[in-house]
Amino acid sequence: MQNKLEEAGEYLKEGEFEKAKEIFSTLLDKDPENPDLICGYFVSSYWDNRIELIFNSKEGKERAVRIVLLFDEFEEEVRKRKIYKNIFFLNVTECVLGEASSQFRRAYQREGMIGLEPVHLIQLTKCLMKTGDYKNAKEILDYSKNFQ
């Protein structure tokens, strides 16, 4: 079972939510009360059901904003359902917000700072902080002081 959990965790890190969901579903059949499996299944299902919304968004700022909004909804749903947060939750957070950060960077590369409003810089900073990238979050905050 440990090998399957590690495999599912890797799939979550890579954004392969459907594959992770299949593993968690199989494991839940054997141990339906396991909070780690419940969390893994929930997070993989949640994002598997939203991946099309993400990819239907234009790359760059539009996709980044969509991802951040979806992640905010995800966090609220986790709170409401009282989902036990574990490594699988962290894997998804890293994957999803890492993608949002990449999309904000892509927008910056294409449009420069003109394309990113202060609210987008705040969203980017939050993404970076939630994924533990404090160095880049600080750089964005320092840079954003130029807009005051």
Side-chain angles (χ1 to χ4, degrees):
M1 180 163 138
Q2 188 61 36
N3 288 343
K4 285 294 184 186
L5 289 174
E6 289 173 10
E7 183 181 358
E10 287 302 312
Y11 283 138
L12 290 174
K13 286 181 186 177
E14 297 166 6
E16 296 286 343
F17 305 119
E18 184 176 2
K19 291 178 182 178
K21 181 174 71 172
E22 290 171 8
I23 292 172
F24 288 118
S25 178
T26 301
L27 295 174
L28 273 170
D29 287 341
K30 297 174 186 170
D31 189 3
E33 300 300 318
N34 185 317
D36 287 326
L37 299 179
I38 292 168
C39 175
Y41 185 80
F42 174 78
V43 300
S44 58
S45 295
Y46 188 94
W47 289 103
D48 185 45
N49 290 329
R50 284 153 184 82
I51 198 77
E52 197 171 312
L53 285 172
I54 293 168
F55 287 126
N56 284 338
S57 305
K58 182 180 172 191
E59 281 194 344
K61 179 174 57 176
E62 182 182 321
R63 186 173 292 177
V65 169
R66 168 74 54 97
I67 292 170
V68 169
L69 292 174
L70 288 171
F71 192 82
D72 288 345
E73 292 170 6
F74 169 70
E75 285 186 308
E76 182 59 30
E77 198 62 35
V78 166
R79 272 191 291 278
K80 275 196 242 175
R81 293 177 185 233
K82 298 179 183 173
I83 299 291
Y84 168 72
K85 294 181 184 178
N86 61 12
I87 188 66
F88 305 121
F89 178 87
L90 297 175
N91 290 345
V92 163
T93 298
E94 185 179 308
C95 172
V96 171
L97 294 182
E99 179 61 20
S101 297
S102 295
Q103 293 297 324
F104 277 125
R105 286 185 182 111
R106 192 168 281 137
Y108 174 74
Q109 290 169 348
R110 286 185 185 156
E111 304 171 39
M113 285 313 299
I114 296 169
L116 294 178
E117 299 168 22
V119 68
H120 300 129
L121 295 175
I122 292 168
Q123 288 174 325
L124 173 57
T125 302
K126 286 180 181 178
C127 290
L128 293 169
M129 290 174 65
K130 286 179 180 179
T131 59
D133 190 353
Y134 302 112
K135 180 181 178 247
N136 282 322
K138 183 182 180 318
E139 287 178 13
I140 297 294
L141 287 173
D142 289 343
Y143 183 77
S144 66
K145 290 177 185 175
N146 297 327
F147 294 100
Q148 294 179 352

